[in-house]
Amino acid sequence: MKYVQQVFDRLSRGGFIAADSVDESVRRIYVDLDDNREEYAEYFSKIGFILEEGRQYYHFSRKESKTSIADKLKKMGHWVDVLDFLKAWEPAFGPGYTFMTADMIVKIDSDIELREKAKSLYDNRVRHDEIATRLVEELSKQGFIELLDNVTQRHSVTSAYRYLEDIVELIAFDDENEISE
């Protein structure tokens, strides 16, 4: 357990630690987490955090009250909209995919359906470059994407993005079960 402070700093803010990070130090942290998962899990459980393992990523969760869960579900609605937008923009969008913010802006400018989806993401944003920039910042802050090249603004999607896909898949699966009953 060499990286307790780094793990806490990143995960306690809602971030992720992904195996395929472009940052070598994050990959080292991931390997240590993976090798010592039970020790980390026990350590953080003492302060109320549950270390969760996804498909090549780690994150924290907590046991929460029903009101907190309701608030989280509202926030999850935003992420469902983000996923819908990203898959409409580029169906191949997922772990390992690289893109430039400028490509997103061009596509929003040229596709009416995508433009409407983009505008619904952020109520106070009208310009397409503002929407794309805000989305990229939000994805980056959460650890779903990482900057590869500052000059071209090329980003890479990390395996942490699977968290969003998995959540949406669970929601879709639950909806199918309710319909059939």
Side-chain angles (χ1 to χ4, degrees):
M1 289 191 9
K2 297 186 246 181
Y3 302 103
V4 171
Q5 186 66 49
Q6 293 91 329
V7 169
F8 180 79
D9 289 346
R10 190 170 189 116
L11 300 186
S12 66
R13 292 185 179 100
F16 293 79
I17 295 175
D20 59 351
S21 174
V22 297
D23 184 337
E24 185 180 331
S25 65
V26 174
R27 290 193 308 267
R28 280 195 301 269
I29 294 169
Y30 177 87
V31 169
D32 191 57
L33 255 172
D34 212 40
D35 291 344
N36 302 289
R37 186 176 55 80
E38 291 181 19
E39 291 88 349
Y40 276 105
E42 184 179 330
Y43 180 85
F44 289 118
S45 71
K46 293 175 183 174
I47 56 172
F49 289 99
I50 301 166
L51 181 64
E52 302 278 1
E53 180 179 10
R55 294 183 287 161
Q56 295 189 306
Y57 64 87
Y58 285 95
H59 68 98
F60 278 157
S61 65
R62 298 179 94 162
K63 290 186 179 183
E64 303 194 30
S65 69
K66 290 184 181 191
T67 55
S68 294
I69 292 171
D71 291 341
K72 282 192 170 193
L73 287 173
K74 287 178 188 174
K75 290 178 186 175
M76 198 61 214
H78 169 70
W79 287 110
V80 170
D81 291 342
V82 167
L83 242 62
D84 181 47
F85 168 80
L86 292 171
K87 289 297 184 179
W89 169 58
E90 178 52 62
F93 196 93
Y97 182 76
T98 61
F99 69 96
M100 292 187 296
T101 307
D103 294 336
M104 186 182 292
I105 296 166
V106 168
K107 185 80 181 250
I108 294 170
D109 286 341
S110 65
D111 185 320
I112 293 171
E113 181 183 347
L114 195 61
R115 191 175 313 139
E116 292 306 312
K117 288 179 185 282
K119 285 181 182 176
S120 72
L121 292 177
Y122 306 106
D123 294 333
N124 60 345
R125 303 283 188 235
V126 177
R127 293 184 20 215
H128 303 151
D129 61 326
E130 288 179 340
I131 294 168
T133 300
R134 171 97 183 262
L135 178 58
V136 166
E137 287 171 355
E138 190 173 23
L139 290 167
S140 182
K141 180 180 176 190
Q142 292 298 314
F144 299 130
I145 64 171
E146 292 183 342
L147 185 64
L148 290 173
D149 183 356
N150 197 30
V151 175
T152 63
Q153 288 296 297
R154 179 169 293 283
H155 293 82
S156 177
V157 181
T158 69
S159 56
Y161 180 78
R162 289 186 181 120
Y163 173 80
L164 292 176
E165 293 177 322
D166 291 346
I167 293 290
V168 171
E169 190 174 300
L170 286 171
I171 293 168
F173 181 73
D174 284 348
D175 285 348
E176 288 173 10
N177 283 344
E178 286 180 19
I179 292 168
S180 65
E181 290 180 351

